[in-house]
């Protein structure tokens, strides 16, 4: 097994061939989660950031007479994914760029460490923070009066799968960003700007397709809007036409979920290639 003490890996098995992949994943996940939990910026992005956006939107952009439970739920879900997207991109891009710049991967390459174990550990740590961000935001919405109405026993598993796949997509995008922008001090700011741009350019994550003057159907194909609309369909019983979510039709079929999963699988493979060819490539 590989353990990291003071950011330095330590092998506790005398024979490198006995280092198990699952143990490496656990150690990396603990390392990154411990690092993230000590970052006030990451915690602010995970908790205060999306909740503040939700409350400000409800206060200044939605008339009081329209603030019924369903519209609050729609916005809470949208901002929940907004927060998960923000923290995942910030976590991966910043940490990956930092490890590249510091030369830490050169140390890792000299050890029997699996690149996919490193990648999986990073993802599990980031996903844990993303889930926290999402739950806190929809919880804030519930306290604020949002009403969630799951459509059946599959609604919660579908919502979880959607969040999981969306975070995989965000991980791949952030790793690409870290390879292009190698300065960690710029990554978090740039990542947040990209998230905000994608949020507005897709009509508040697909909640308001009418914001797109043309090609409104794109909200059922762009990953962030598609994920939010799938969750809204399965977790609420809102009058979608009345609240501006349609047209286009809501993504209620297996093909829409399959498309999102397809995005995730393709970008997961891309992430594996990046960490093997960029971070762990032997010099």
């Amino acid at each position: 097994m590989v353990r990291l003490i003071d950011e330095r890996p330590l092998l506790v098995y005398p024979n490198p061939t006995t280092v198990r992949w699952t143990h490496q994943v656990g150690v990396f996940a603990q390392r990154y989660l411990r690092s993230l939990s000590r970052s006030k910026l990451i915690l602010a992005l995970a908790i205060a950031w999306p909740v503040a956006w939700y409350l400000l939107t409800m206060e200044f952009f939605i008339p009081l007479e329209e603030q019924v439970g369903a519209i609050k739920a729609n916005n809470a879900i949208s901002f929940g994914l907004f927060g998960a997207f923000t923290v995942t991109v910030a976590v991966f891009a910043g940490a990956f760029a930092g490890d590249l710049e510091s030369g830490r991967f050169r140390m890792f390459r000299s050890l029997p460490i699996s690149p996919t174990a490193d990648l999986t550990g990073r993802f599990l740590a980031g996903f844990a923070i993303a889930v926290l961000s999402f739950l806190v935001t929809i919880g804030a919405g519930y306290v604020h009066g949002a009403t969630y109405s799951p459509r059946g026993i599959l609604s919660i598993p579908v919502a979880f799968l959607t969040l999981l796949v969306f975070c995989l997509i965000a991980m791949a995008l952030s790793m690409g960003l870290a390879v292009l922008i190698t300065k960690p001090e710029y990554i978090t700011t740039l990542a947040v700007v990209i998230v905000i741009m994608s949020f507005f350019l897709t009509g508040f994550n697909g909640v308001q397709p009418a914001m797109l003057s043309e090609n409104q159907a794109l909200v059922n194909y762009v990953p962030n809007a598609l994920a939010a609309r799938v969750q809204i369909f399965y977790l609420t019983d809102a009058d979608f036409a009345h609240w501006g979510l349609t047209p286009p039709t809501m993504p209620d079929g297996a093909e829409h979920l399959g498309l999102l999963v397809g995005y995730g699988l393709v970008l997961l493979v891309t992430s594996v290639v990046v960490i093997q060819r960029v971070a762990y490539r032997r010099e």
Side-chain angles (χ1 to χ4, degrees):
M1 183 171 62
V2 178
R3 288 180 182 168
L4 294 159
I5 299 177
D6 295 328
E7 305 298 328
R8 293 176 300 172
L10 174 67
L11 290 176
V12 298
Y13 287 129
N15 184 353
T17 61
T18 63
V19 179
R20 289 182 289 179
W21 186 86
T22 53
H23 285 177
Q24 293 184 37
V25 170
V27 171
F28 276 112
Q30 291 175 25
R31 176 217 174 195
Y32 295 122
L33 190 58
R34 186 167 55 247
S35 176
L36 294 175
S37 64
R38 290 197 293 257
S39 172
K40 294 180 180 179
L41 175 60
I42 294 298
L43 293 178
L45 288 174
I47 299 174
W49 177 254
V51 172
W53 272 90
Y54 165 78
L55 293 175
L56 290 171
T57 298
M58 299 306 298
E59 178 67 25
F60 295 107
F61 295 103
I62 299 179
L64 186 62
E65 62 272 14
E66 295 184 6
Q67 292 193 24
V68 297
I71 196 67
K72 291 180 178 180
N74 294 346
N75 281 277
I77 292 170
S78 174
F79 283 108
L81 282 173
F82 172 78
F85 192 16
T86 302
V87 73
T88 302
V89 171
V91 165
F92 273 91
F96 192 65
D99 286 348
L100 285 173
E101 186 182 56
S102 67
R104 189 169 291 122
F105 283 115
R106 287 197 297 270
M107 181 168 50
F108 289 167
R109 286 195 294 266
S110 66
L111 299 169
I113 292 176
S114 167
T116 57
D118 184 350
L119 181 66
T120 305
R122 289 174 188 266
F123 174 75
L124 291 177
F127 183 59
I129 303 296
V131 169
L132 173 65
S133 177
F134 181 79
L135 292 178
V136 167
T137 307
I138 63 172
Y142 179 78
V143 172
H144 190 246
T147 54
Y148 305 102
S149 304
R151 294 177 178 269
I153 59 174
L154 292 179
S155 294
I156 302 302
V158 167
F160 179 81
L161 176 63
T162 303
L163 179 60
L164 174 69
V165 173
F166 182 62
C167 288
L168 282 174
I169 294 170
M171 174 187 71
L173 295 176
S174 63
M175 289 180 69
L177 181 64
V179 171
L180 294 174
I181 310 296
T182 57
K183 296 296 183 181
E185 59 269 24
Y186 303 137
I187 286 291
T188 300
T189 301
L190 183 58
V192 171
V193 169
I194 290 173
V195 172
I196 293 175
M197 289 179 60
S198 67
F199 180 77
F200 283 106
L201 290 175
T202 56
F204 296 162
N205 275 357
V207 173
Q208 292 296 320
M211 291 179 63
L212 284 72
S213 59
E214 298 180 2
N215 298 321
Q216 295 178 4
L218 285 175
V219 296
N220 282 343
Y221 296 94
V222 180
N224 61 306
L226 174 59
R229 288 169 65 83
V230 167
Q231 289 200 347
I232 288 171
F233 176 80
Y234 279 98
L235 296 178
T236 74
D237 60 355
D239 184 340
F240 301 125
H242 178 72
W243 298 118
L245 280 91
T246 59
T249 59
M250 293 297 289
D252 57 352
E255 66 275 12
H256 296 101
L257 190 59
L259 176 62
L260 190 64
V261 172
Y263 286 149
L265 291 176
V266 170
L267 290 175
L268 175 60
V269 172
T270 303
S271 299
V272 172
V273 171
V274 168
I275 201 166
Q276 289 178 334
R277 297 292 180 85
V278 176
Y280 281 89
R281 185 175 183 177
R282 301 284 180 178
E283 296 179 349

